[in-house]
């Protein structure tokens, strides 16, 4: 019996490209302008490629697709010979302010309020496990209007990043669940590796992960989270 569902955030619950690509391009441009003296355009392109950006496309295996803000800050700091902690704070503040000032960029991938209400009515606990930090994640949840349904939030500044199972164990411990009573829904290879700690994983094609990649880890591939209630093993009424 499934008693808990852990969701990834970007690319699973909210659009990834609209929210992160333009913001990250602006971030890289700002950092390079501030800290690099030389061919700015060339260096900006080098860093974008380094973190997994190819124009407006995100490499499904790159840093931006499934890694943390801390991972991004380390990669960029090394490329520009900057202090990692300083840059981490700068990047986190940049992302948070961008979302705070542009809530329209937080675009849900489906009718999340309806979906979460249905899951909640079926006595299934809901958690979100993301590579983002807590301030950005909480702002996103509140903007989407699903805060009342979210029982658990695990962010990369509070738990070990996926695919480590620390967040899953904390979720299970808090609600007296077994790992084989929990499923994970996500759009990246990192998500599917994390789902190996659960009963199973559900891959969604609404983010950066391809069907070819996700299918290596799970037979359950859907177009979006709106299809979750139709999965026969969930029994959501």
């Amino acid at each position: 019996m499934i008693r808990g569902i852990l969701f990834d955030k970007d690319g699973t619950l909210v659009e990834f490209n609209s929210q992160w690509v333009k913001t990250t391009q602006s971030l890289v441009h700002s950092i390079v302008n501030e800290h690099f003296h030389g061919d700015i355009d060339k260096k900006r392109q080098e860093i974008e490629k380094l973190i997994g950006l190819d124009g407006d496309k995100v490499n499904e295996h790159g840093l931006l697709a499934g890694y943390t803000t801390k991972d991004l800050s380390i990669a960029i700091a090394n490329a520009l010979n900057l202090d990692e902690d300083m840059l981490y704070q700068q990047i986190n503040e940049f992302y948070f302010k961008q979302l705070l000032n542009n809530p329209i960029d937080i675009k849900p991938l489906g009718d999340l309020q309806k979906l979460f209400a249905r899951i909640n009515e079926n006595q299934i606990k809901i958690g979100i496990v993301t590579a983002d930090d807590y301030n950005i994640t909480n702002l996103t949840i509140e903007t989407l209007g699903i805060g009342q349904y979210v029982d658990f939030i695990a962010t990369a500044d509070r738990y070990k990043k996926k695919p480590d199972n620390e967040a899953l164990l904390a979720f299970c411990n808090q609600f007296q669940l077994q790992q084989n009573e929990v499923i994970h829904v996500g759009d990246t290879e990192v998500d599917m590796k994390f789902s190996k700690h659960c009963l199973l994983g559900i891959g969604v094609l609404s983010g950066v992960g391809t069907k070819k990649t996700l299918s290596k880890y799970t037979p359950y591939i859907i177009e979006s989270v709106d299809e979750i209630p139709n999965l026969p093993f969930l029994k959501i009424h």
Side-chain angles (χ1 to χ4, degrees):
M1 180 179 179
I2 294 170
R3 300 174 56 210
I5 303 178
L6 290 174
F7 289 90
D8 173 54
K9 182 171 68 69
D10 299 319
T12 300
L13 297 178
V14 293
E15 286 187 15
F16 185 79
N17 286 350
S18 65
Q19 181 177 338
W20 288 115
V21 172
K22 291 181 181 178
T23 300
T24 302
Q25 288 172 335
S26 296
L27 169 69
V28 171
H29 187 76
S30 174
I31 291 172
V32 172
N33 274 353
E34 181 178 353
H35 298 288
F36 182 73
H37 303 287
D39 190 333
I40 290 177
D41 285 339
K42 181 179 179 180
K43 179 58 69 173
R44 175 182 55 78
Q45 291 173 7
E46 288 177 0
I47 292 177
E48 287 183 359
K49 184 176 181 180
L50 173 69
I51 63 176
L53 265 182
D54 182 12
D56 291 333
K57 294 183 179 180
V58 178
N59 182 333
E60 67 169 316
H61 303 295
L63 285 176
L64 195 60
Y67 290 78
T68 67
T69 304
K70 189 69 174 177
D71 293 323
L72 289 179
S73 65
I74 291 172
I76 296 174
N78 288 339
L80 294 173
N81 196 28
L82 300 174
D83 180 78
E84 294 173 5
D85 291 333
M86 177 277 294
L87 193 60
Y88 168 71
Q89 292 297 327
Q90 182 177 348
I91 291 174
N92 183 266
E93 290 174 7
F94 187 93
Y95 277 135
F96 182 73
K97 288 179 180 178
Q98 284 292 313
L99 284 185
L100 188 64
N101 295 329
N102 301 280
I104 193 172
D105 288 342
I106 302 175
K107 299 179 180 179
L109 289 166
D111 191 340
L112 301 184
Q113 293 183 20
K114 180 180 178 181
L115 172 65
F116 277 32
R118 287 184 67 183
I119 295 173
N120 178 264
E121 289 167 2
N122 282 264
Q123 308 302 312
I124 297 174
K125 295 297 181 182
I126 297 172
I128 293 176
V129 183
T130 174
D132 276 339
D133 287 355
Y134 184 83
N135 59 347
I136 293 171
T137 302
N138 190 57
L139 174 61
T140 301
I141 290 170
E142 294 306 317
T143 302
L144 293 170
I146 57 174
Q148 62 183 312
Y149 304 117
V150 178
D151 303 294
F152 178 84
I153 301 172
T155 54
D157 56 335
R158 298 190 174 191
Y159 294 88
K160 293 179 181 178
K161 64 184 180 181
K162 293 180 287 187
D164 190 278
N165 69 346
E166 183 183 40
L168 170 63
L169 295 178
F171 181 62
C172 290
N173 182 62
Q174 183 171 336
F175 300 108
Q176 291 76 56
L177 307 175
Q178 300 298 315
Q179 288 176 236
N180 62 4
E181 295 177 317
V182 179
I183 63 175
H184 179 56
V185 185
D187 71 301
T188 69
E189 186 170 23
V190 171
D191 289 319
M192 294 301 98
K193 289 179 178 179
F194 175 76
S195 72
K196 292 298 181 181
H197 303 299
C198 309
L199 175 64
L200 57 87
I202 299 174
V204 289
L205 299 177
S206 51
V208 300
T210 61
K211 186 173 183 179
K212 180 180 179 181
T213 295
L214 301 180
S215 296
K216 295 177 182 178
Y217 300 90
T218 178
Y220 304 106
I221 309 294
I222 57 179
E223 292 294 328
S224 79
V225 292
D226 276 340
E227 296 179 35
I228 287 177
N230 300 328
L231 296 170
F233 53 81
L234 269 178
K235 300 179 181 178
I236 294 179
H237 307 296

